[in-house]
Amino acid sequence: MKTYKNLYEEICSINNLANAWRKARKGKTKKEYVIEFEKNTRENLLELREELINQSYKPRPLVTFILRDPKTRKISKSDFRDRIAHHALYNIIDLIFERIFIYDSCANRIGKGNLFAIKRLEFFKRRITNNLKSEAFCLKADIKHYFQEVDHNILIQSIKRRISDEKIIKLIELILINGQEKEEIGMPLGNLTSQFFANIYLNELDYFVKHKLKAKYYIRYIDDFIILHNSKEQLIE
């Protein structure tokens, strides 16, 4: 398996940081924190770049609030400059992992949101039931307290299989530990990076289900997944 190194300079490039800033501000241009940052956009981006290059960058404290939609979730929001750093990292390493994700991993990927997942499920449903003419069964499951329980060491080892640039690994570790109550456990729900890392972490599950269990009709949406099968007993097992 190919590994990538010497990518850190690309993350720190002013062009990449400017691109990351544009993505981070999208839909938020009237927010006070964006307006404040953009009073000196160039200077602030250059300062962030210098910190990343020198590896003196430290994420600022998270702002946490409770969201009920209708499930109660604790959302942790990063400082705007940290969100720029997240986008800068994501811009460079996303494609590396996108190549190895299965087709039916449906969340936080371009063109693969809710609508894609619904259409894919409908397609699978018709395939396995011969256009709704025969019986089939569905196993629906999720991973309890997923974001709170992600093991940093396991995640980092998964990332290292593709990225051997130690500076990038250290940046990822900084992002992961920011604001976490348990040591080396959990990711803040709300970060772009958390959504991305969630897919890397559960890519292991995808490969297990597809290649070990040979489940043909499987869809995952972050920590929720569905397997369709003709045999109820097989799904229970």
Coordinates of all heavy atoms in Angstrom, one line a residue, residues 161-231:
R161 N -1.0 4.2 8.0 CA -0.8 3.3 6.9 C -0.8 4.0 5.6 O -0.3 3.4 4.6 CB -2.0 2.3 6.9 CG -2.0 1.4 8.1 CD -3.0 0.2 8.0 NE -3.2 -0.4 9.3 CZ -4.4 -0.4 9.9 NH1 -5.4 0.2 9.5 NH2 -4.5 -1.0 11.1
R162 N -1.3 5.2 5.5 CA -1.3 6.0 4.3 C -0.4 7.2 4.3 O 0.1 7.7 3.3 CB -2.7 6.4 4.0 CG -3.7 5.3 3.9 CD -3.5 4.4 2.7 NE -3.7 5.0 1.4 CZ -3.4 4.5 0.3 NH1 -2.9 3.3 0.2 NH2 -3.6 5.1 -0.8
I163 N -0.2 7.7 5.5 CA 0.6 9.0 5.6 C 1.8 8.7 6.6 O 1.6 8.4 7.8 CB -0.2 10.1 6.2 CG1 -1.3 10.5 5.1 CG2 0.6 11.4 6.5 CD1 -2.3 11.5 5.5
S164 N 3.0 8.9 6.1 CA 4.2 8.7 6.9 C 4.9 10.0 7.3 O 6.0 10.0 7.8 CB 5.2 7.8 6.2 OG 5.5 8.3 4.9
D165 N 4.2 11.1 7.1 CA 4.8 12.5 7.4 C 4.5 12.8 8.9 O 3.3 13.0 9.3 CB 4.1 13.5 6.5 CG 4.8 14.9 6.6 OD1 5.1 15.3 7.7 OD2 4.9 15.6 5.6
E166 N 5.5 12.7 9.7 CA 5.4 12.9 11.1 C 4.8 14.2 11.5 O 4.1 14.4 12.6 CB 6.7 12.6 11.9 CG 7.0 11.1 12.0 CD 6.0 10.3 12.7 OE1 5.4 10.8 13.7 OE2 5.7 9.2 12.3
K167 N 5.1 15.2 10.8 CA 4.6 16.6 11.1 C 3.0 16.6 10.9 O 2.3 17.2 11.7 CB 5.2 17.6 10.2 CG 6.7 17.9 10.5 CD 7.2 19.0 9.6 CE 8.7 19.3 9.9 NZ 9.3 20.3 9.0
I168 N 2.5 15.9 9.9 CA 1.1 15.8 9.8 C 0.5 15.0 10.9 O -0.6 15.4 11.4 CB 0.7 15.2 8.4 CG1 1.1 16.1 7.3 CG2 -0.8 14.8 8.3 CD1 0.8 15.6 5.9
I169 N 1.1 13.9 11.3 CA 0.6 13.1 12.4 C 0.5 13.9 13.7 O -0.5 13.9 14.4 CB 1.5 11.9 12.6 CG1 1.5 11.0 11.3 CG2 1.0 11.1 13.8 CD1 0.1 10.5 10.9
K170 N 1.5 14.7 13.9 CA 1.5 15.6 15.1 C 0.4 16.6 15.1 O -0.2 16.9 16.1 CB 2.9 16.2 15.3 CG 4.0 15.3 15.8 CD 5.3 16.0 15.9 CE 6.4 15.0 16.4 NZ 7.8 15.6 16.4
L171 N 0.2 17.2 13.9 CA -0.9 18.1 13.8 C -2.3 17.5 14.0 O -3.1 18.0 14.7 CB -0.9 18.7 12.4 CG -2.0 19.7 12.0 CD1 -2.1 20.9 13.0 CD2 -1.9 20.2 10.6
I172 N -2.4 16.3 13.5 CA -3.7 15.5 13.7 C -3.8 15.2 15.2 O -5.0 15.3 15.8 CB -3.7 14.2 12.9 CG1 -3.8 14.6 11.4 CG2 -4.8 13.3 13.4 CD1 -3.6 13.4 10.5
E173 N -2.8 14.8 15.9 CA -2.9 14.6 17.3 C -3.3 15.8 18.1 O -4.1 15.7 19.1 CB -1.5 14.0 17.8 CG -1.2 12.6 17.3 CD 0.2 12.1 17.7 OE1 1.1 13.0 17.9 OE2 0.4 10.9 17.6
L174 N -2.7 16.9 17.7 CA -3.1 18.2 18.4 C -4.6 18.5 18.3 O -5.3 18.9 19.2 CB -2.3 19.4 17.8 CG -0.9 19.7 18.3 CD1 -0.3 20.8 17.5 CD2 -1.0 20.0 19.8
I175 N -5.1 18.3 17.1 CA -6.6 18.5 16.8 C -7.4 17.5 17.6 O -8.4 17.9 18.1 CB -6.8 18.3 15.3 CG1 -6.2 19.5 14.5 CG2 -8.3 18.3 15.0 CD1 -6.2 19.3 13.0
L176 N -6.9 16.2 17.7 CA -7.7 15.2 18.4 C -7.8 15.4 19.9 O -8.9 15.2 20.5 CB -7.1 13.8 18.1 CG -7.3 13.2 16.8 CD1 -6.5 11.9 16.6 CD2 -8.8 12.9 16.5
I177 N -6.8 15.9 20.5 CA -6.8 16.0 22.0 C -7.4 17.3 22.4 O -7.7 17.4 23.6 CB -5.3 15.9 22.6 CG1 -4.5 17.1 22.1 CG2 -4.7 14.6 22.2 CD1 -3.1 17.1 22.8
N178 N -7.6 18.2 21.5 CA -8.2 19.5 21.9 C -9.6 19.4 22.5 O -10.5 19.0 21.9 CB -8.2 20.5 20.7 CG -8.6 21.9 21.1 OD1 -8.2 22.4 22.2 ND2 -9.3 22.6 20.3
G179 N -9.7 19.7 23.8 CA -11.0 19.8 24.5 C -11.5 18.4 24.9 O -12.7 18.3 25.4
Q180 N -10.8 17.3 24.8 CA -11.3 16.0 25.2 C -11.1 15.8 26.7 O -10.1 16.0 27.2 CB -10.6 14.9 24.4 CG -10.9 15.0 22.9 CD -12.4 15.1 22.6 OE1 -13.1 14.2 22.9 NE2 -12.8 16.2 22.0
E181 N -12.2 15.2 27.3 CA -12.1 15.0 28.7 C -11.3 13.7 29.0 O -10.6 13.7 30.0 CB -13.6 14.8 29.2 CG -14.4 16.1 29.1 CD -15.9 15.8 29.4 OE1 -16.2 14.7 29.8 OE2 -16.7 16.8 29.2
K182 N -11.4 12.7 28.2 CA -10.7 11.4 28.4 C -9.4 11.5 27.6 O -9.4 11.9 26.5 CB -11.5 10.2 28.0 CG -12.8 10.0 28.8 CD -13.6 8.8 28.3 CE -14.9 8.7 28.9 NZ -15.7 7.5 28.4
E183 N -8.3 10.9 28.2 CA -7.1 10.9 27.5 C -7.1 9.9 26.3 O -7.5 8.7 26.5 CB -5.9 10.5 28.5 CG -4.6 10.6 27.9 CD -3.5 10.4 28.9 OE1 -3.8 10.4 30.1 OE2 -2.3 10.2 28.5
E184 N -6.8 10.4 25.1 CA -6.7 9.6 23.9 C -8.0 8.9 23.5 O -8.0 7.9 22.9 CB -5.5 8.5 24.1 CG -4.2 9.1 24.3 CD -3.1 8.1 24.4 OE1 -3.4 6.9 24.7 OE2 -1.9 8.5 24.2
I185 N -9.1 9.5 24.0 CA -10.4 8.9 23.6 C -11.3 10.0 23.2 O -11.4 11.1 23.9 CB -11.0 8.1 24.8 CG1 -10.2 6.9 25.2 CG2 -12.5 7.7 24.5 CD1 -10.3 5.8 24.2
G186 N -12.0 9.9 22.1 CA -13.1 10.8 21.7 C -12.7 11.9 20.7 O -11.5 12.3 20.6
M187 N -13.6 12.4 20.0 CA -13.5 13.5 19.1 C -14.6 14.5 19.2 O -15.7 14.0 19.5 CB -13.4 13.0 17.6 CG -12.3 12.0 17.3 SD -12.2 11.7 15.5 CE -13.8 10.9 15.2
P188 N -14.4 15.8 19.1 CA -15.5 16.8 19.2 C -16.4 16.6 18.1 O -16.0 16.7 16.9 CB -14.7 18.1 19.2 CG -13.4 17.9 18.6 CD -13.1 16.4 18.9
L189 N -17.7 16.5 18.4 CA -18.7 16.5 17.4 C -19.0 17.9 16.9 O -19.4 18.8 17.6 CB -20.0 15.9 18.0 CG -21.2 15.6 17.0 CD1 -20.8 14.7 15.9 CD2 -22.4 15.0 17.8
G190 N -18.7 18.2 15.6 CA -18.8 19.5 15.1 C -17.6 19.9 14.2 O -17.8 20.8 13.4
N191 N -16.5 19.3 14.4 CA -15.3 19.6 13.6 C -15.4 18.9 12.2 O -15.8 17.8 12.1 CB -14.0 19.2 14.3 CG -13.6 20.1 15.3 OD1 -14.1 21.2 15.5 ND2 -12.6 19.8 16.1
L192 N -15.0 19.6 11.2 CA -14.8 19.0 9.9 C -13.9 17.8 10.0 O -14.2 16.7 9.4 CB -14.2 20.0 8.9 CG -13.7 19.4 7.6 CD1 -14.8 18.9 6.7 CD2 -12.8 20.5 6.8
T193 N -12.8 17.9 10.7 CA -11.8 16.8 10.8 C -12.5 15.6 11.5 O -12.1 14.5 11.2 CB -10.6 17.3 11.6 OG1 -11.0 18.0 12.8 CG2 -9.7 18.2 10.8
S194 N -13.3 15.8 12.5 CA -14.0 14.7 13.2 C -14.8 13.9 12.3 O -14.8 12.7 12.3 CB -14.8 15.2 14.4 OG -14.0 15.9 15.3
Q195 N -15.6 14.6 11.4 CA -16.4 13.8 10.4 C -15.5 13.0 9.4 O -15.8 11.9 9.1 CB -17.2 14.8 9.6 CG -18.0 15.9 10.4 CD -19.0 15.3 11.4 OE1 -19.7 14.4 11.0 NE2 -19.0 15.8 12.6
F196 N -14.4 13.6 9.0 CA -13.4 13.0 8.1 C -12.8 11.8 8.8 O -12.7 10.7 8.2 CB -12.4 14.0 7.6 CG -11.3 13.4 6.8 CD1 -11.7 12.8 5.6 CD2 -10.0 13.6 7.1 CE1 -10.7 12.3 4.7 CE2 -9.0 13.1 6.3 CZ -9.3 12.4 5.1
F197 N -12.3 12.0 10.0 CA -11.6 10.9 10.8 C -12.6 9.8 11.1 O -12.2 8.6 11.1 CB -11.0 11.5 12.1 CG -9.9 12.5 11.9 CD1 -9.6 13.4 12.8 CD2 -9.1 12.4 10.8 CE1 -8.6 14.4 12.7 CE2 -8.1 13.4 10.6 CZ -7.8 14.3 11.5
A198 N -13.9 10.1 11.3 CA -14.9 9.1 11.5 C -14.9 8.1 10.4 O -15.1 6.9 10.6 CB -16.2 9.8 11.7
N199 N -14.8 8.6 9.1 CA -14.8 7.7 8.0 C -13.6 6.9 7.9 O -13.6 5.7 7.5 CB -15.0 8.5 6.7 CG -16.5 8.8 6.4 OD1 -17.4 8.1 6.9 ND2 -16.8 9.8 5.6
I200 N -12.4 7.5 8.2 CA -11.2 6.7 8.2 C -11.3 5.6 9.2 O -10.9 4.4 8.9 CB -10.0 7.6 8.5 CG1 -9.8 8.6 7.4 CG2 -8.7 6.8 8.7 CD1 -8.7 9.7 7.7
Y201 N -11.7 5.9 10.4 CA -11.8 4.9 11.5 C -12.7 3.7 11.1 O -12.4 2.6 11.3 CB -12.3 5.6 12.7 CG -12.1 4.9 14.1 CD1 -10.9 5.0 14.7 CD2 -13.1 4.2 14.7 CE1 -10.7 4.5 16.0 CE2 -12.9 3.6 15.9 CZ -11.7 3.7 16.6 OH -11.5 3.1 17.8
L202 N -13.9 4.0 10.6 CA -14.8 3.0 10.3 C -14.6 2.4 8.9 O -15.4 1.5 8.5 CB -16.3 3.5 10.4 CG -16.7 3.7 11.9 CD1 -18.1 4.1 12.0 CD2 -16.5 2.4 12.7
N203 N -13.7 2.9 8.1 CA -13.3 2.2 6.9 C -12.9 0.7 7.2 O -13.1 -0.2 6.4 CB -12.1 2.9 6.2 CG -11.9 2.5 4.8 OD1 -12.8 2.4 4.0 ND2 -10.7 2.2 4.5
E204 N -12.3 0.5 8.4 CA -12.0 -0.8 8.8 C -13.2 -1.7 8.9 O -13.2 -2.9 8.5 CB -11.3 -0.8 10.2 CG -10.1 0.2 10.3 CD -8.9 -0.3 9.5 OE1 -8.8 -1.6 9.3 OE2 -8.0 0.5 9.1
L205 N -14.3 -1.1 9.5 CA -15.6 -1.9 9.5 C -16.1 -2.2 8.1 O -16.5 -3.3 7.8 CB -16.6 -1.1 10.3 CG -18.0 -1.6 10.3 CD1 -18.1 -2.9 11.0 CD2 -19.0 -0.6 10.9
D206 N -16.0 -1.2 7.2 CA -16.5 -1.4 5.9 C -15.8 -2.5 5.2 O -16.5 -3.4 4.5 CB -16.3 -0.1 5.0 CG -17.0 1.1 5.6 OD1 -18.0 0.9 6.4 OD2 -16.7 2.3 5.3
Y207 N -14.5 -2.6 5.3 CA -13.7 -3.7 4.7 C -14.1 -5.0 5.3 O -14.2 -6.0 4.6 CB -12.2 -3.4 4.8 CG -11.7 -2.5 3.7 CD1 -12.2 -1.2 3.5 CD2 -10.8 -2.9 2.7 CE1 -11.7 -0.4 2.5 CE2 -10.3 -2.1 1.7 CZ -10.8 -0.8 1.6 OH -10.4 0.0 0.6
F208 N -14.3 -5.0 6.6 CA -14.6 -6.3 7.3 C -16.0 -6.8 6.8 O -16.2 -8.0 6.4 CB -14.7 -6.1 8.8 CG -15.2 -7.2 9.6 CD1 -14.4 -8.4 9.8 CD2 -16.5 -7.3 10.1 CE1 -14.9 -9.5 10.5 CE2 -17.0 -8.4 10.8 CZ -16.2 -9.5 11.0
V209 N -17.0 -5.9 6.7 CA -18.3 -6.3 6.3 C -18.3 -6.7 4.8 O -18.9 -7.7 4.5 CB -19.3 -5.1 6.5 CG1 -20.7 -5.5 5.9 CG2 -19.5 -4.8 8.0
K210 N -17.6 -5.9 4.0 CA -17.7 -6.2 2.5 C -16.8 -7.4 2.2 O -17.2 -8.3 1.3 CB -17.2 -5.0 1.7 CG -18.1 -3.8 1.9 CD -19.5 -4.0 1.3 CE -19.4 -4.0 -0.3 NZ -20.8 -4.1 -0.8
H211 N -15.6 -7.6 2.8 CA -14.7 -8.6 2.3 C -14.6 -9.8 3.2 O -14.3 -10.9 2.7 CB -13.3 -7.9 2.2 CG -13.2 -6.8 1.2 ND1 -13.5 -7.0 -0.2 CD2 -13.0 -5.5 1.3 CE1 -13.4 -5.8 -0.8 NE2 -13.1 -4.9 0.1
K212 N -14.9 -9.7 4.5 CA -14.8 -10.8 5.4 C -16.2 -11.5 5.5 O -16.4 -12.7 5.3 CB -14.3 -10.4 6.8 CG -12.9 -9.9 6.8 CD -11.9 -11.1 6.6 CE -10.5 -10.5 6.7 NZ -9.5 -11.6 6.5
L213 N -17.2 -10.6 5.7 CA -18.6 -11.1 5.8 C -19.3 -11.3 4.5 O -20.3 -12.0 4.4 CB -19.4 -10.2 6.7 CG -19.0 -10.0 8.1 CD1 -20.0 -9.1 8.9 CD2 -18.8 -11.3 8.9
K214 N -18.7 -10.7 3.4 CA -19.2 -10.8 2.1 C -20.6 -10.3 2.0 O -21.4 -10.8 1.2 CB -19.2 -12.3 1.6 CG -17.8 -12.9 1.7 CD -16.8 -12.3 0.7 CE -15.5 -13.1 0.8 NZ -14.4 -12.5 -0.1
A215 N -20.9 -9.2 2.7 CA -22.2 -8.6 2.7 C -22.3 -7.7 1.4 O -21.6 -6.7 1.3 CB -22.5 -7.8 3.9
K216 N -23.2 -8.1 0.5 CA -23.3 -7.4 -0.7 C -24.1 -6.1 -0.6 O -23.7 -5.1 -1.3 CB -24.0 -8.3 -1.8 CG -24.0 -7.8 -3.2 CD -24.6 -8.8 -4.1 CE -24.5 -8.3 -5.6 NZ -25.1 -9.3 -6.5
Y217 N -25.1 -6.1 0.2 CA -26.0 -4.9 0.3 C -25.8 -4.2 1.6 O -26.5 -4.5 2.6 CB -27.4 -5.3 0.1 CG -27.7 -6.0 -1.2 CD1 -28.0 -7.4 -1.3 CD2 -27.6 -5.3 -2.4 CE1 -28.2 -8.0 -2.5 CE2 -27.7 -5.9 -3.7 CZ -28.1 -7.2 -3.7 OH -28.2 -7.9 -4.9
Y218 N -24.8 -3.4 1.7 CA -24.4 -2.7 2.9 C -24.2 -1.2 2.7 O -23.5 -0.8 1.7 CB -23.1 -3.3 3.4 CG -22.3 -2.6 4.4 CD1 -22.6 -2.5 5.8 CD2 -21.1 -1.9 4.0 CE1 -21.9 -1.8 6.7 CE2 -20.3 -1.2 5.0 CZ -20.7 -1.1 6.3 OH -20.0 -0.5 7.2
I219 N -24.7 -0.4 3.5 CA -24.6 1.1 3.4 C -24.2 1.6 4.8 O -24.8 1.2 5.8 CB -25.8 1.8 2.9 CG1 -26.4 1.2 1.6 CG2 -25.6 3.3 2.8 CD1 -27.7 1.7 1.3
R220 N -23.2 2.5 4.9 CA -22.9 3.2 6.1 C -23.0 4.7 6.0 O -22.6 5.2 5.0 CB -21.5 2.8 6.6 CG -21.1 3.5 7.9 CD -19.8 3.0 8.5 NE -18.7 3.4 7.5 CZ -18.2 4.6 7.5 NH1 -18.6 5.6 8.2 NH2 -17.2 4.8 6.6
Y221 N -23.6 5.3 7.0 CA -23.7 6.7 7.1 C -23.1 7.1 8.5 O -23.8 7.1 9.5 CB -25.2 7.2 7.0 CG -25.3 8.7 6.7 CD1 -25.4 9.2 5.4 CD2 -25.2 9.6 7.7 CE1 -25.5 10.5 5.2 CE2 -25.3 11.0 7.5 CZ -25.5 11.4 6.2 OH -25.5 12.8 6.0
I222 N -21.9 7.5 8.5 CA -21.1 7.7 9.7 C -21.2 6.5 10.6 O -20.7 5.4 10.2 CB -21.4 9.0 10.5 CG1 -21.5 10.2 9.5 CG2 -20.4 9.3 11.6 CD1 -21.8 11.5 10.2
D223 N -21.8 6.5 11.8 CA -21.9 5.4 12.7 C -23.2 4.6 12.6 O -23.4 3.7 13.4 CB -21.6 5.8 14.1 CG -22.7 6.8 14.6 OD1 -23.1 7.6 13.8 OD2 -23.0 6.7 15.8
D224 N -24.0 4.9 11.6 CA -25.2 4.2 11.3 C -25.0 3.3 10.1 O -24.4 3.8 9.1 CB -26.4 5.1 11.1 CG -26.9 5.8 12.3 OD1 -27.6 5.2 13.1 OD2 -26.4 7.0 12.5
F225 N -25.4 2.0 10.1 CA -25.3 1.2 9.0 C -26.4 0.2 8.8 O -27.1 -0.1 9.8 CB -23.9 0.5 8.9 CG -23.7 -0.5 10.1 CD1 -24.0 -1.8 10.0 CD2 -23.1 0.0 11.3 CE1 -23.8 -2.7 11.0 CE2 -22.9 -0.9 12.3 CZ -23.2 -2.2 12.2
I226 N -26.6 -0.2 7.6 CA -27.7 -1.1 7.2 C -27.1 -2.3 6.4 O -26.3 -2.0 5.5 CB -28.8 -0.4 6.4 CG1 -29.6 0.5 7.4 CG2 -29.7 -1.3 5.6 CD1 -30.7 1.3 6.7
I227 N -27.5 -3.5 6.6 CA -27.2 -4.6 5.8 C -28.5 -5.3 5.4 O -29.4 -5.6 6.3 CB -26.3 -5.7 6.5 CG1 -25.0 -5.0 7.0 CG2 -26.0 -6.8 5.6 CD1 -24.2 -5.9 7.9
L228 N -28.7 -5.5 4.1 CA -29.9 -6.2 3.6 C -29.5 -7.6 3.2 O -28.4 -7.9 2.7 CB -30.5 -5.5 2.4 CG -30.9 -4.0 2.5 CD1 -31.5 -3.5 1.2 CD2 -31.8 -3.8 3.7
H229 N -30.4 -8.6 3.5 CA -30.1 -10.0 3.2 C -31.4 -10.8 3.0 O -32.5 -10.4 3.6 CB -29.3 -10.6 4.3 CG -28.5 -11.8 3.9 ND1 -29.0 -13.1 3.8 CD2 -27.2 -11.9 3.6 CE1 -28.1 -13.9 3.4 NE2 -27.0 -13.2 3.2
N230 N -31.4 -11.8 2.3 CA -32.6 -12.7 2.1 C -32.9 -13.5 3.4 O -34.0 -13.9 3.6 CB -32.4 -13.6 0.9 CG -32.3 -12.9 -0.4 OD1 -31.2 -13.0 -1.0 ND2 -33.3 -12.2 -0.8
S231 N -31.9 -13.7 4.2 CA -32.0 -14.6 5.3 C -32.0 -13.8 6.6 O -31.0 -13.1 7.0 CB -30.9 -15.6 5.4 OG -30.9 -16.3 6.6

